[in-house]
Short mmCIF file of all heavy atoms in Angstrom, two decimals:
data_model
loop_
_atom_site.label_atom_id
_atom_site.label_comp_id
_atom_site.label_asym_id
_atom_site.label_seq_id
_atom_site.Cartn_x
_atom_site.Cartn_y
_atom_site.Cartn_z
N PHE A 118 0.72 -12.75 10.00
CA PHE A 118 -0.62 -13.29 9.76
C PHE A 118 -0.79 -14.61 10.53
O PHE A 118 -1.79 -14.81 11.25
CB PHE A 118 -0.77 -13.52 8.26
CG PHE A 118 -2.18 -13.73 7.81
CD1 PHE A 118 -2.96 -12.66 7.41
CD2 PHE A 118 -2.73 -15.00 7.78
CE1 PHE A 118 -4.26 -12.86 6.98
CE2 PHE A 118 -4.03 -15.20 7.37
CZ PHE A 118 -4.81 -14.14 6.97
N MET A 131 -11.13 -17.02 11.61
CA MET A 131 -11.54 -16.15 10.51
C MET A 131 -12.27 -14.91 11.01
O MET A 131 -12.08 -13.82 10.48
CB MET A 131 -12.44 -16.93 9.55
CG MET A 131 -11.72 -18.02 8.77
SD MET A 131 -10.43 -17.40 7.65
CE MET A 131 -8.93 -17.78 8.55
N LEU A 135 -8.42 -13.05 11.61
CA LEU A 135 -8.22 -12.46 10.28
C LEU A 135 -8.31 -10.93 10.29
O LEU A 135 -7.39 -10.26 9.80
CB LEU A 135 -9.24 -13.07 9.30
CG LEU A 135 -9.19 -12.57 7.86
CD1 LEU A 135 -7.87 -12.94 7.22
CD2 LEU A 135 -10.34 -13.17 7.06
N PRO A 136 -9.37 -10.32 10.86
CA PRO A 136 -9.40 -8.85 10.89
C PRO A 136 -8.24 -8.24 11.69
O PRO A 136 -7.69 -7.20 11.29
CB PRO A 136 -10.75 -8.53 11.56
CG PRO A 136 -11.58 -9.74 11.35
CD PRO A 136 -10.62 -10.89 11.38
N ALA A 138 -5.23 -9.50 12.14
CA ALA A 138 -3.99 -9.65 11.38
C ALA A 138 -3.88 -8.59 10.29
O ALA A 138 -2.83 -7.96 10.11
CB ALA A 138 -3.91 -11.05 10.77
N LEU A 139 -4.97 -8.37 9.56
CA LEU A 139 -4.95 -7.37 8.50
C LEU A 139 -4.84 -5.95 9.05
O LEU A 139 -4.24 -5.07 8.44
CB LEU A 139 -6.20 -7.51 7.63
CG LEU A 139 -6.26 -8.79 6.78
CD1 LEU A 139 -7.59 -8.90 6.07
CD2 LEU A 139 -5.13 -8.84 5.78
N THR A 140 -5.43 -5.72 10.23
CA THR A 140 -5.30 -4.41 10.88
C THR A 140 -3.84 -4.15 11.24
O THR A 140 -3.32 -3.05 11.04
CB THR A 140 -6.17 -4.34 12.13
OG1 THR A 140 -7.55 -4.55 11.77
CG2 THR A 140 -6.05 -2.98 12.81
N ILE A 142 -1.21 -5.26 9.78
CA ILE A 142 -0.44 -4.99 8.56
C ILE A 142 -0.64 -3.55 8.09
O ILE A 142 0.27 -2.94 7.51
CB ILE A 142 -0.84 -6.00 7.47
CG1 ILE A 142 -0.38 -7.41 7.87
CG2 ILE A 142 -0.24 -5.62 6.12
CD1 ILE A 142 -0.89 -8.51 6.96
N SER A 143 -1.81 -2.97 8.38
CA SER A 143 -2.11 -1.61 7.91
C SER A 143 -1.51 -0.51 8.80
O SER A 143 -1.57 0.66 8.44
CB SER A 143 -3.62 -1.41 7.83
OG SER A 143 -4.19 -1.36 9.13
N PHE A 270 -13.00 -10.79 -8.23
CA PHE A 270 -12.38 -10.57 -6.93
C PHE A 270 -11.11 -9.74 -7.07
O PHE A 270 -10.88 -8.78 -6.32
CB PHE A 270 -12.08 -11.93 -6.28
CG PHE A 270 -11.31 -11.84 -4.99
CD1 PHE A 270 -11.94 -11.51 -3.82
CD2 PHE A 270 -9.95 -12.10 -4.97
CE1 PHE A 270 -11.24 -11.42 -2.63
CE2 PHE A 270 -9.24 -12.02 -3.78
CZ PHE A 270 -9.89 -11.68 -2.61
N ALA A 273 -11.92 -6.11 -7.91
CA ALA A 273 -12.45 -5.38 -6.75
C ALA A 273 -11.32 -4.95 -5.81
O ALA A 273 -11.30 -3.81 -5.32
CB ALA A 273 -13.46 -6.25 -6.01
N LEU A 274 -10.37 -5.86 -5.57
CA LEU A 274 -9.25 -5.53 -4.69
C LEU A 274 -8.35 -4.46 -5.30
O LEU A 274 -7.87 -3.55 -4.59
CB LEU A 274 -8.42 -6.78 -4.37
CG LEU A 274 -9.04 -7.77 -3.39
CD1 LEU A 274 -8.10 -8.94 -3.16
CD2 LEU A 274 -9.36 -7.10 -2.06
N LEU A 275 -8.11 -4.54 -6.61
CA LEU A 275 -7.28 -3.53 -7.27
C LEU A 275 -7.93 -2.15 -7.20
O LEU A 275 -7.27 -1.15 -6.92
CB LEU A 275 -7.02 -3.92 -8.72
CG LEU A 275 -5.97 -5.00 -8.95
CD1 LEU A 275 -5.91 -5.37 -10.43
CD2 LEU A 275 -4.59 -4.54 -8.48
N PHE A 277 -10.01 -1.12 -5.00
CA PHE A 277 -9.96 -0.65 -3.62
C PHE A 277 -8.58 -0.12 -3.26
O PHE A 277 -8.45 0.89 -2.57
CB PHE A 277 -10.36 -1.78 -2.67
CG PHE A 277 -10.50 -1.32 -1.24
CD1 PHE A 277 -11.58 -0.56 -0.85
CD2 PHE A 277 -9.54 -1.65 -0.30
CE1 PHE A 277 -11.71 -0.11 0.45
CE2 PHE A 277 -9.66 -1.22 1.01
CZ PHE A 277 -10.75 -0.45 1.39
N ARG A 278 -7.53 -0.81 -3.73
CA ARG A 278 -6.18 -0.33 -3.45
C ARG A 278 -5.93 1.03 -4.10
O ARG A 278 -5.27 1.89 -3.54
CB ARG A 278 -5.13 -1.34 -3.94
CG ARG A 278 -5.09 -2.64 -3.19
CD ARG A 278 -4.89 -2.44 -1.71
NE ARG A 278 -3.69 -1.67 -1.40
CZ ARG A 278 -3.33 -1.30 -0.17
NH1 ARG A 278 -4.10 -1.60 0.84
NH2 ARG A 278 -2.22 -0.64 0.03
N LEU A 281 -7.70 3.61 -1.99
CA LEU A 281 -7.02 3.87 -0.73
C LEU A 281 -5.76 4.73 -0.90
O LEU A 281 -5.24 5.25 0.08
CB LEU A 281 -6.63 2.56 -0.05
CG LEU A 281 -7.71 1.89 0.80
CD1 LEU A 281 -7.14 0.69 1.53
CD2 LEU A 281 -8.34 2.85 1.80
N GLY A 316 -11.54 0.46 13.09
CA GLY A 316 -12.12 -0.26 11.96
C GLY A 316 -11.91 -1.76 12.06
O GLY A 316 -12.82 -2.56 11.79
N GLY A 317 -10.69 -2.17 12.46
CA GLY A 317 -10.42 -3.59 12.63
C GLY A 317 -11.27 -4.21 13.72
O GLY A 317 -11.82 -5.32 13.55
N CYS A 320 -14.81 -4.58 12.61
CA CYS A 320 -14.94 -5.71 11.69
C CYS A 320 -15.04 -7.02 12.46
O CYS A 320 -15.80 -7.91 12.09
CB CYS A 320 -13.75 -5.72 10.74
SG CYS A 320 -13.98 -6.80 9.32
N MET A 324 -18.31 -9.11 11.50
CA MET A 324 -18.03 -9.98 10.36
C MET A 324 -18.51 -11.40 10.59
O MET A 324 -18.16 -12.05 11.57
CB MET A 324 -16.53 -10.00 10.05
CG MET A 324 -16.22 -10.69 8.71
SD MET A 324 -14.50 -10.53 8.20
CE MET A 324 -13.73 -11.74 9.26
N GLU A 329 -20.59 -9.94 3.88
CA GLU A 329 -19.56 -9.20 3.17
C GLU A 329 -20.10 -8.03 2.35
O GLU A 329 -19.54 -6.92 2.42
CB GLU A 329 -18.75 -10.14 2.27
CG GLU A 329 -17.93 -11.19 3.01
CD GLU A 329 -18.73 -12.46 3.26
OE1 GLU A 329 -19.96 -12.44 3.01
OE2 GLU A 329 -18.13 -13.45 3.69
N ILE A 332 -21.03 -5.01 4.62
CA ILE A 332 -19.83 -4.37 5.19
C ILE A 332 -19.11 -3.55 4.14
O ILE A 332 -18.65 -2.42 4.38
CB ILE A 332 -18.90 -5.44 5.80
CG1 ILE A 332 -19.59 -6.14 6.97
CG2 ILE A 332 -17.60 -4.81 6.27
CD1 ILE A 332 -18.82 -7.31 7.53
N HIS A 333 -19.02 -4.09 2.93
CA HIS A 333 -18.35 -3.36 1.85
C HIS A 333 -19.11 -2.09 1.47
O HIS A 333 -18.49 -1.07 1.13
CB HIS A 333 -18.19 -4.27 0.64
CG HIS A 333 -17.12 -5.31 0.82
ND1 HIS A 333 -17.00 -6.42 0.01
CD2 HIS A 333 -16.11 -5.40 1.73
CE1 HIS A 333 -15.98 -7.15 0.42
NE2 HIS A 333 -15.43 -6.54 1.44
N ALA A 336 -18.16 0.49 4.02
CA ALA A 336 -16.79 0.95 3.79
C ALA A 336 -16.71 1.90 2.61
O ALA A 336 -16.05 2.95 2.67
CB ALA A 336 -15.86 -0.25 3.58
N LEU A 340 -15.62 5.89 2.35
CA LEU A 340 -14.61 6.35 1.41
C LEU A 340 -15.12 7.51 0.56
O LEU A 340 -14.41 8.50 0.33
CB LEU A 340 -14.17 5.20 0.51
CG LEU A 340 -13.17 4.21 1.09
CD1 LEU A 340 -13.04 2.99 0.19
CD2 LEU A 340 -11.81 4.88 1.25
N ALA A 367 -9.46 5.79 6.80
CA ALA A 367 -8.70 4.76 7.52
C ALA A 367 -9.64 3.70 8.08
O ALA A 367 -9.35 2.49 8.02
CB ALA A 367 -7.90 5.41 8.64
N PHE A 368 -10.76 4.13 8.64
CA PHE A 368 -11.75 3.19 9.16
C PHE A 368 -12.27 2.27 8.05
O PHE A 368 -12.40 1.06 8.23
CB PHE A 368 -12.90 3.97 9.80
CG PHE A 368 -13.90 3.12 10.53
CD1 PHE A 368 -13.76 2.87 11.88
CD2 PHE A 368 -15.00 2.58 9.88
CE1 PHE A 368 -14.69 2.09 12.57
CE2 PHE A 368 -15.93 1.81 10.53
CZ PHE A 368 -15.78 1.56 11.89
N ALA A 369 -12.56 2.87 6.89
CA ALA A 369 -13.07 2.09 5.75
C ALA A 369 -12.04 1.08 5.26
O ALA A 369 -12.40 -0.06 4.92
CB ALA A 369 -13.46 3.04 4.61
N GLY A 370 -10.77 1.47 5.24
CA GLY A 370 -9.73 0.53 4.79
C GLY A 370 -9.64 -0.69 5.68
O GLY A 370 -9.51 -1.81 5.19
N ALA A 371 -9.70 -0.48 7.01
CA ALA A 371 -9.64 -1.61 7.93
C ALA A 371 -10.90 -2.45 7.88
O ALA A 371 -10.87 -3.65 8.18
CB ALA A 371 -9.41 -1.10 9.35
N LEU A 372 -12.01 -1.84 7.48
CA LEU A 372 -13.29 -2.55 7.44
C LEU A 372 -13.46 -3.37 6.18
O LEU A 372 -14.15 -4.40 6.17
CB LEU A 372 -14.43 -1.52 7.55
CG LEU A 372 -15.83 -2.03 7.90
CD1 LEU A 372 -15.85 -2.66 9.28
CD2 LEU A 372 -16.83 -0.86 7.84
N PHE A 373 -12.83 -2.96 5.08
CA PHE A 373 -13.10 -3.57 3.77
C PHE A 373 -12.35 -4.89 3.57
O PHE A 373 -12.93 -5.88 3.09
CB PHE A 373 -12.70 -2.59 2.66
CG PHE A 373 -13.05 -3.06 1.28
CD1 PHE A 373 -14.24 -2.69 0.69
CD2 PHE A 373 -12.20 -3.88 0.55
CE1 PHE A 373 -14.57 -3.11 -0.59
CE2 PHE A 373 -12.51 -4.32 -0.72
CZ PHE A 373 -13.71 -3.93 -1.29
N LEU A 374 -11.07 -4.93 3.91
CA LEU A 374 -10.22 -6.06 3.50
C LEU A 374 -10.59 -7.41 4.14
O LEU A 374 -10.62 -8.42 3.44
CB LEU A 374 -8.76 -5.73 3.77
CG LEU A 374 -8.08 -4.82 2.74
CD1 LEU A 374 -6.63 -4.59 3.13
CD2 LEU A 374 -8.16 -5.41 1.35
N PRO A 375 -10.84 -7.49 5.45
CA PRO A 375 -11.12 -8.81 6.03
C PRO A 375 -12.30 -9.54 5.40
O PRO A 375 -12.19 -10.73 5.07
CB PRO A 375 -11.36 -8.50 7.52
CG PRO A 375 -10.59 -7.25 7.77
CD PRO A 375 -10.72 -6.46 6.51
N PRO A 376 -13.47 -8.89 5.19
CA PRO A 376 -14.56 -9.61 4.52
C PRO A 376 -14.20 -10.04 3.10
O PRO A 376 -14.62 -11.12 2.65
CB PRO A 376 -15.71 -8.59 4.52
CG PRO A 376 -15.38 -7.64 5.60
CD PRO A 376 -13.90 -7.55 5.63
N ALA A 377 -13.43 -9.20 2.39
CA ALA A 377 -13.02 -9.57 1.03
C ALA A 377 -12.15 -10.82 1.05
O ALA A 377 -12.33 -11.74 0.25
CB ALA A 377 -12.27 -8.41 0.38
N LEU A 378 -11.20 -10.85 1.98
CA LEU A 378 -10.32 -12.02 2.09
C LEU A 378 -11.11 -13.25 2.53
O LEU A 378 -10.87 -14.36 2.04
CB LEU A 378 -9.19 -11.73 3.07
CG LEU A 378 -8.14 -12.83 3.26
CD1 LEU A 378 -7.54 -13.24 1.92
CD2 LEU A 378 -7.05 -12.38 4.21
N LEU A 379 -12.06 -13.08 3.45
CA LEU A 379 -12.86 -14.21 3.92
C LEU A 379 -13.68 -14.81 2.79
O LEU A 379 -13.71 -16.03 2.61
CB LEU A 379 -13.79 -13.75 5.05
CG LEU A 379 -14.76 -14.81 5.58
CD1 LEU A 379 -14.01 -15.97 6.21
CD2 LEU A 379 -15.73 -14.19 6.60
N SER A 380 -14.33 -13.96 1.99
CA SER A 380 -15.15 -14.48 0.89
C SER A 380 -14.29 -15.19 -0.14
O SER A 380 -14.67 -16.23 -0.69
CB SER A 380 -15.93 -13.35 0.23
OG SER A 380 -15.05 -12.40 -0.34
N GLY A 381 -13.09 -14.67 -0.40
CA GLY A 381 -12.19 -15.33 -1.34
C GLY A 381 -11.70 -16.66 -0.82
O GLY A 381 -11.61 -17.64 -1.58
N LEU A 382 -11.38 -16.73 0.46
CA LEU A 382 -10.94 -18.00 1.05
C LEU A 382 -12.04 -19.05 0.99
O LEU A 382 -11.79 -20.23 0.71
CB LEU A 382 -10.51 -17.78 2.50
CG LEU A 382 -9.10 -17.21 2.71
CD1 LEU A 382 -8.90 -16.87 4.18
CD2 LEU A 382 -8.04 -18.21 2.26
N PHE A 396 -5.13 -18.61 -4.49
CA PHE A 396 -5.89 -17.47 -3.96
C PHE A 396 -5.00 -16.53 -3.15
O PHE A 396 -5.09 -15.31 -3.27
CB PHE A 396 -7.04 -17.96 -3.09
CG PHE A 396 -7.66 -16.85 -2.28
CD1 PHE A 396 -8.49 -15.92 -2.89
CD2 PHE A 396 -7.35 -16.70 -0.94
CE1 PHE A 396 -9.02 -14.87 -2.16
CE2 PHE A 396 -7.88 -15.66 -0.21
CZ PHE A 396 -8.72 -14.76 -0.82
N PHE A 400 -4.35 -12.48 -3.64
CA PHE A 400 -4.56 -11.47 -2.61
C PHE A 400 -3.28 -10.67 -2.35
O PHE A 400 -3.30 -9.44 -2.33
CB PHE A 400 -5.03 -12.14 -1.32
CG PHE A 400 -5.23 -11.17 -0.19
CD1 PHE A 400 -6.35 -10.35 -0.16
CD2 PHE A 400 -4.30 -11.06 0.83
CE1 PHE A 400 -6.54 -9.43 0.86
CE2 PHE A 400 -4.48 -10.15 1.85
CZ PHE A 400 -5.61 -9.34 1.88
N THR A 403 -2.34 -8.39 -5.32
CA THR A 403 -3.18 -7.19 -5.44
C THR A 403 -2.82 -6.18 -4.37
O THR A 403 -2.92 -4.97 -4.60
CB THR A 403 -4.67 -7.54 -5.34
OG1 THR A 403 -4.91 -8.27 -4.13
CG2 THR A 403 -5.13 -8.36 -6.52
N GLN A 404 -2.39 -6.64 -3.20
CA GLN A 404 -2.04 -5.70 -2.13
C GLN A 404 -0.71 -5.00 -2.41
O GLN A 404 -0.57 -3.81 -2.14
CB GLN A 404 -1.99 -6.43 -0.78
CG GLN A 404 -3.33 -6.97 -0.32
CD GLN A 404 -4.43 -5.92 -0.37
OE1 GLN A 404 -4.44 -4.97 0.40
NE2 GLN A 404 -5.36 -6.07 -1.29
#
Side-chain angles (χ1 to χ4, degrees):
F118 195 92
M131 291 296 103
L135 180 63
L139 292 174
T140 300
I142 293 172
S143 70
F270 174 78
L274 286 181
L275 282 175
F277 187 73
R278 291 305 304 176
L281 276 186
C320 194
M324 191 172 77
E329 295 89 350
I332 296 174
H333 286 164
L340 280 169
F368 187 91
L372 196 63
F373 186 94
L374 281 180
L378 183 55
L379 176 63
S380 62
L382 279 172
F396 167 76
F400 179 76
T403 54
Q404 294 310 291

